[in-house]
Amino acid sequence: MATAFVLAATGHAQAQNATPAPAPTVQPHGYMVISYDIKDQAMFQKYMDAAGSLAANYNGKVTIFNMKVKGAEGKPRSVFGMVEFPNLADAQRFYNSPEYTAARKFRIAATKGTSTVILTEGLPQ
């Protein structure tokens, strides 16, 4: 019985002195955030036809696309979108790809004023 007590106490002491496993590292994802106003719906449809399915080719997925944005503060543009990628490098590869570069010309022609496009990192939720 004494031996069992010593073994149990030794195991308990070793468990208390053990170094905890490091927390898993969460890698930031890459995001493309867009905001603009449409002036030419037919041209915008050409953009959607050309760009609509491209993000998946670069491991991206559209997480937000809203054509009727309402602001809580300030004056937002009417369209807001966000595409999530596994990392910033994939977002940059998508944005700079020949396919998206060609599609982007339709978006620029279809929108009024300046579009806002942000490529950034962020932690997934």
Side-chain angles (χ1 to χ4, degrees), residues 32-93:
M32 181 173 123
V33 181
I34 58 172
S35 183
Y36 44 81
D37 289 312
I38 299 170
K39 68 177 180 184
D40 183 337
Q41 192 62 46
M43 186 63 70
F44 185 72
Q45 187 58 52
K46 288 181 180 182
Y47 168 69
M48 292 302 291
D49 293 343
S53 63
L54 288 178
N57 296 344
Y58 294 87
N59 305 312
K61 64 179 179 178
V62 176
T63 56
I64 299 172
F65 184 78
N66 186 341
M67 294 180 67
K68 296 180 182 178
V69 174
K70 294 186 188 242
E73 292 185 26
K75 182 172 179 354
R77 307 267 174 71
S78 60
V79 177
F80 181 83
M82 185 167 66
V83 183
E84 181 179 12
F85 296 87
N87 53 59
L88 183 58
D90 283 342
Q92 292 168 328
R93 282 187 325 107

